[in-house]
Amino acid sequence: MNTVLEEFEVSEGLADLDMFQGNLTTALADRDTLSGREISMRVIEIPGRKARFIIEWQGALPVWIMPTIQTMQELLDLPPGWDSYGAQTIDIEPVISALELLANLMQPNTPMPAVVPTNRGGVQLEWHTRGIDLEIGIQSRAHQYASYHDHHRRVEWEGAITPNVRPLVDFIHELSRRQ
């Protein structure tokens, strides 16, 4: 199981224990993961200016994780009004939710998503490749949505992401298997 274990706000002059604000964790049940592999656990700490991520990972790190985390940290650094139209700063909650979702859905051959900010403080994960357009918008843990368009099979889907992530598992599987 791959999860974002903890997130800390980074403040100068305080020890890590002084900044502890609790754990943010989530994961799919073992039967819902795509890999289901049992590999030794690794814990990776990725410091940033506004947040420090501690990630638990099984096996080798996938190629998408470090660039994606770097992009997410850059999004967290965006100032208010970053789009020159009054956009909100990016909240940590959608960033953590996006990383957790990716950790549980991505397959070894899944292309890396584009990660873009939304003007309401959320993030959007996008794939526009292999004849598939998949966009996953995350405003908060409770407000997540996706749209999927497979141009080859002429399949479209749009809706809220619920605890039943089966549609997303299927979309990522199709995106990953297609050359």
Side-chain angles (χ1 to χ4, degrees):
M1 172 172 34
N2 303 316
T3 61
V4 175
L5 289 179
E6 299 174 0
E7 169 272 325
F8 299 95
E9 290 297 321
V10 177
S11 301
E12 292 189 35
L14 295 174
D16 289 346
L17 291 176
D18 296 330
M19 295 183 289
F20 182 78
Q21 294 181 1
N23 290 338
L24 296 174
T25 62
T26 189
L28 296 173
D30 287 343
R31 66 183 183 284
D32 294 331
T33 62
L34 295 174
S35 65
R37 59 186 184 258
E38 292 295 326
I39 301 174
S40 62
M41 202 60 67
R42 295 176 59 188
V43 176
I44 301 98
E45 180 177 346
I46 302 108
R49 288 194 320 210
K50 290 191 176 179
R52 179 181 66 181
F53 298 102
I54 299 175
I55 299 175
E56 181 180 277
W57 202 266
Q58 293 179 348
L61 287 178
V63 296
W64 63 266
I65 198 162
M66 296 308 284
T68 301
I69 289 172
Q70 178 64 36
T71 300
M72 299 255 189
Q73 287 178 327
E74 291 169 6
L75 297 183
L76 290 170
D77 288 339
L78 290 172
W82 54 265
D83 67 348
S84 72
Y85 294 102
Q88 297 175 15
T89 58
I90 305 305
D91 294 326
I92 190 72
E93 181 185 350
V95 168
I96 297 293
S97 293
L99 287 171
E100 291 171 340
L101 188 64
L102 288 171
N104 286 296
L105 292 177
M106 295 287 279
Q107 297 178 12
N109 54 342
T110 305
M112 187 177 336
V115 181
V116 295
T118 68
N119 62 0
R120 293 186 175 177
V123 296
Q124 186 158 306
L125 308 169
E126 298 183 2
W127 294 263
H128 301 285
T129 187
R130 301 177 179 179
I132 292 175
D133 293 316
L134 173 59
E135 298 180 357
I136 300 172
I138 302 172
Q139 189 61 39
S140 68
R141 288 190 186 279
H143 295 91
Q144 301 179 12
Y145 58 90
S147 68
Y148 174 81
H149 185 190
D150 183 333
H151 298 275
H152 295 163
R153 297 183 335 179
R154 296 197 166 116
V155 173
E156 291 187 40
W157 182 91
E158 187 171 329
I161 298 173
T162 66
N164 175 11
V165 294
R166 178 52 53 192
L168 292 180
V169 169
D170 294 342
F171 302 153
I172 292 291
H173 176 74
E174 182 64 25
L175 180 65
S176 300
R177 76 164 194 83
R178 192 175 287 175
Q179 298 298 322

